[in-house]
Amino acid sequence: MELTPRLRLTNWLVSQGLTGTPENDLVRGFCERCCAEGLHVSRGMVFIDTLHPIFEGRGFRWNDAETNESDAFEYGSTNEGEAAEAWRSSIFYHMLENGQQELPMDLADGGTNRFKFVNELADKGHRHLVAYVHQFGEAGAMGQMDCVYSYWVTRRDEGFGAQGLAALRDLVPVLGLAIKSAAQADITKTLGRVYLGRDTAEQVLRGRMTRGVTERINTVLWFSDLRGSTAISESIDPGEIIPFLNDYAQASIDAIHDAGGEVLKLIGDGVLAMFTDENMAKAKRAALRAEHRFRRNMRTVNARRAAEGRPVTSAHVGLHEGEVFYGNIGSDDRLDFTVVGPAVNEVSRIASMCRTVDRELLMSSAFRNGLDAAGRNYLVSTGRFALRGIGRAQDLYTLDPDITADEVVAGKYERYLAN
């Protein structure tokens, strides 16, 4: 590849990196443009580690022929088991161990088949490969994301040639930089969603980061906590406490997200969430749907934990409608994007009343009053109560016991939630 097409491809990579083109599109566009400029790439593969609670990294691939492979995929931890064995037998591990940044390979050479994938590539008509490891400096790494791995393959018997390899040496680092930029944007979004919540992360990433910038909204609030969690935590091995909390947090968070809610805070074993909609009746139905799914999730978790001989529990949920301030609260260098206001305190008090009246779910008068008529038919009063720290007494409501005792009523309630 001559200098002019190299510059043309470099400029394209830089512009796409600045634009924020997704990694798989970068790899596909790069390979197609290489082929168009006479650099005959038949397959390209790029890997980059990431920061993610589940995946260790992501890979991107392109082929010059139709395959049933996806162009992007995630991979899990390579620290143990078969994944660790596969990593230690990979060409990239070999290069890192031997301090190699570039490794060309003739796929017909029998000495190269110690790498598992080489024979597969040769069987598909590929003839030569060159692999690269481009490492980041200490300041450029983010956790495990400390380099970009890639390999490039051609079907040409003579390989890429000196000029083709020179072009790849110039171009692949630029592609790696564009992929790193896209990966960092993905990491930022992932960390925002994981630690702040879906809507909250979106608002922060849109630039709402100024202290004191809040909006006044009317919302449905959820507060849940586990029954007897303190006693259980004191009675089990310390190493079991976090798995215990995680199991039940997963049950509640999945239910809230599935119903369209936003998890705002995890407070020990407690969960604060909200449901918003222009039609508050819909938001309330969504909260009830989340509570129903939460109970189903809890049954699944309890069955599994009981079979494993591990402690189980249930949970209290309070639901309330009220006005809150939603936005940035804190100091100049430590902010929390959350909700505050008397309604937040009130929903936690409602949840704590569940112990007093021996009910797993309690709802405020404000929650019931704005619910549609069909929904109100499934609620019954538990009495009038003065909530600790709240100036006025109010009626609290729970679900009609017939929902759990009568299959016909239970079916009607589920159909109501599904609408």
Side-chain angles (χ1 to χ4, degrees), residues 186-205:
D186 289 338
I187 287 172
T188 301
K189 293 173 184 176
T190 296
L191 294 179
R193 287 193 298 268
V194 169
Y195 286 98
L196 298 176
R198 295 174 178 180
D199 179 71
T200 303
E202 185 177 330
Q203 299 222 33
V204 170
L205 291 174

Side-chain angles (χ1 to χ4, degrees), residues 378 400-415:
Y378 293 107
D400 189 332
D402 284 348
I403 292 173
T404 56
D406 189 317
E407 289 186 2
V408 175
V409 178
K412 290 180 178 178
Y413 181 62
E414 289 191 357
R415 287 192 292 276

Side-chain angles (χ1 to χ4, degrees), residues 323-375:
E323 189 177 71
V324 297
F325 289 98
Y326 181 42
N328 288 294
I329 299 149
S331 68
D332 287 338
D333 56 3
R334 180 60 176 92
L335 292 170
D336 194 6
F337 201 108
T338 188
V339 294
V340 295
V344 179
N345 185 45
E346 197 165 346
V347 72
S348 68
R349 297 290 184 252
I350 291 169
S352 68
M353 283 298 298
C354 289
R355 297 176 179 83
T356 302
V357 299
D358 194 24
R359 291 291 183 270
E360 291 190 333
L361 169 66
L362 285 176
M363 292 155 279
S364 67
S365 298
F367 183 92
R368 178 188 180 277
N369 293 341
L371 195 61
D372 53 76

Side-chain angles (χ1 to χ4, degrees), residues 228-275:
S229 63
T230 301
I232 292 173
S233 296
E234 291 173 349
S235 67
I236 61 178
D237 185 273
E240 282 292 308
I241 294 175
I242 298 303
F244 167 76
L245 294 175
N246 283 346
D247 280 346
Y248 292 103
Q250 189 79 54
S252 60
I253 293 169
D254 283 351
I256 292 165
H257 283 170
D258 287 347
E262 172 79 358
V263 175
L264 298 166
K265 272 185 179 299
L266 304 179
I267 311 165
D269 67 347
V271 177
L272 175 65
M274 70 177 185
F275 298 80

Side-chain angles (χ1 to χ4, degrees), residues 110-330:
T112 63
N113 58 18
R114 66 183 182 275
F115 303 118
K116 179 180 177 183
F117 71 103
V118 169
N119 289 334
E120 298 173 3
L121 292 174
D123 290 342
K124 293 177 181 177
H126 305 289
R127 291 292 173 261
H128 290 265
L129 172 147
V130 59
Y132 294 99
V133 175
H134 290 105
Q135 293 182 287
F136 308 153
E138 183 177 344
M142 293 181 66
Q144 291 181 313
M145 193 184 81
D146 58 2
C147 64
V148 176
Y149 309 94
S150 67
Y151 71 73
W152 311 92
V153 186
T154 182
R155 298 184 189 277
R156 292 164 63 95
D157 290 335
E158 63 273 25
F160 289 109
Q163 192 178 68
L165 289 174
L168 288 172
R169 289 187 197 107
D170 287 344
L171 294 170
V172 172
V174 185
L175 171 65
L177 184 59
I179 286 176
K180 178 186 177 183
S181 175
Q184 287 178 326
D186 289 338
I187 287 172
T188 301
K189 293 173 184 176
T190 296
L191 294 179
R193 287 193 298 268
V194 169
Y195 286 98
L196 298 176
R198 295 174 178 180
D199 179 71
T200 303
E202 185 177 330
Q203 299 222 33
V204 170
L205 291 174
R206 284 205 307 260
R208 294 195 60 191
M209 297 178 63
T210 304
R211 182 171 64 150
V213 174
T214 63
E215 61 178 316
R216 209 168 182 165
I217 63 171
N218 203 46
T219 189
V220 172
L221 293 167
W222 158 303
F223 190 86
S224 61
D225 62 356
L226 300 180
R227 296 181 66 176
S229 63
T230 301
I232 292 173
S233 296
E234 291 173 349
S235 67
I236 61 178
D237 185 273
E240 282 292 308
I241 294 175
I242 298 303
F244 167 76
L245 294 175
N246 283 346
D247 280 346
Y248 292 103
Q250 189 79 54
S252 60
I253 293 169
D254 283 351
I256 292 165
H257 283 170
D258 287 347
E262 172 79 358
V263 175
L264 298 166
K265 272 185 179 299
L266 304 179
I267 311 165
D269 67 347
V271 177
L272 175 65
M274 70 177 185
F275 298 80
T276 57
D277 196 285
E278 291 181 1
N279 184 335
M280 290 305 295
K282 289 184 179 179
K284 292 175 181 182
R285 190 183 300 204
L288 289 173
R289 188 182 305 120
E291 195 274 340
H292 188 69
R293 292 182 181 181
F294 179 37
R295 301 302 172 188
R296 182 181 61 196
N297 293 349
M298 290 279 285
R299 289 192 292 271
T300 301
V301 170
N302 283 341
R304 174 178 58 78
R305 290 182 61 87
E308 296 168 350
R310 303 164 85 180
V312 301
T313 188
S314 59
H316 294 140
V317 176
L319 297 177
H320 180 46
E321 178 193 353
E323 189 177 71
V324 297
F325 289 98
Y326 181 42
N328 288 294
I329 299 149

